[in-house]
Amino acid sequence: MPRKAVCSMKRLLTFQLSVFSISVLASTLNVTNYGAWGDIKNINVNCVSNSYTVNSTNHFGSGDVGKIISITGAGANTTPTNNMDLVAQIKSVNNLTNVVLNRPAGCTTNLALAIYGTCCSTGFQACLDAAQIGDTISIPVGRYLLIPPVFDTNWLFASQRFLESAVY
């Protein structure tokens, strides 16, 4: 190839690259803008076997309806002396210290350790879905409850029933 043609091709290639190059500006996405809240609280609760009501010294409010609660050792029994954790949704707040869950406790407990908060899986996933290459995901300080985004009571409790039936 003659030298002149090579120079022309280099210029053409350079021109084409500059025309088709796209400048991407990276951005920062905050998970709280997508519905995630780092609001997990530790509490101690009392449960009565087969009761949907949980009592605590913690102060609940109407904003707690729909949040997920996990109570250590208050689920179905796995052996004569052990129980699974009870994972349930807060259906209503009776007063400052009593809530009603969507499933009953598997045993009676006194001052069992529990955590409750907003399920943030959907918010985290929406933030990740919105991110582009080079973006930064910002997660503010907090404690986030992440459970499968396909969570619904049928899925979670069917899984728990499977685990209960698999214990010998």
Side-chain angles (χ1 to χ4, degrees), residues 64-67 89-93 99-103 153:
D64 293 327
V65 172
K67 291 183 179 181
Q89 187 174 36
I90 297 173
K91 288 305 219 181
S92 65
V93 176
V99 294
V100 176
L101 307 181
N102 67 336
R103 70 178 308 196
T153 54

Side-chain angles (χ1 to χ4, degrees), residues 103-155:
R103 70 178 308 196
C107 67
T108 299
T109 64
N110 186 30
L111 296 176
L113 176 64
I115 62 168
Y116 77 99
T118 304
C119 179
C120 299
S121 301
T122 304
F124 269 77
Q125 189 62 56
C127 187
L128 291 170
D129 291 344
Q132 302 292 319
I133 293 174
D135 285 352
T136 300
I137 304 290
S138 173
I139 304 171
V141 174
R143 296 176 60 213
Y144 297 85
L145 179 60
L146 299 171
I147 57 176
V150 294
F151 170 77
D152 64 36
T153 54
N154 294 328
W155 175 86

Side-chain angles (χ1 to χ4, degrees), residues 29 52-53 78:
L29 305 174
Y52 290 81
T53 302
T78 54

Side-chain angles (χ1 to χ4, degrees), residues 1-11:
M1 219 182 220
R3 182 169 168 78
K4 189 173 184 177
V6 171
C7 290
S8 295
M9 286 180 61
K10 283 183 182 177
R11 281 190 212 131

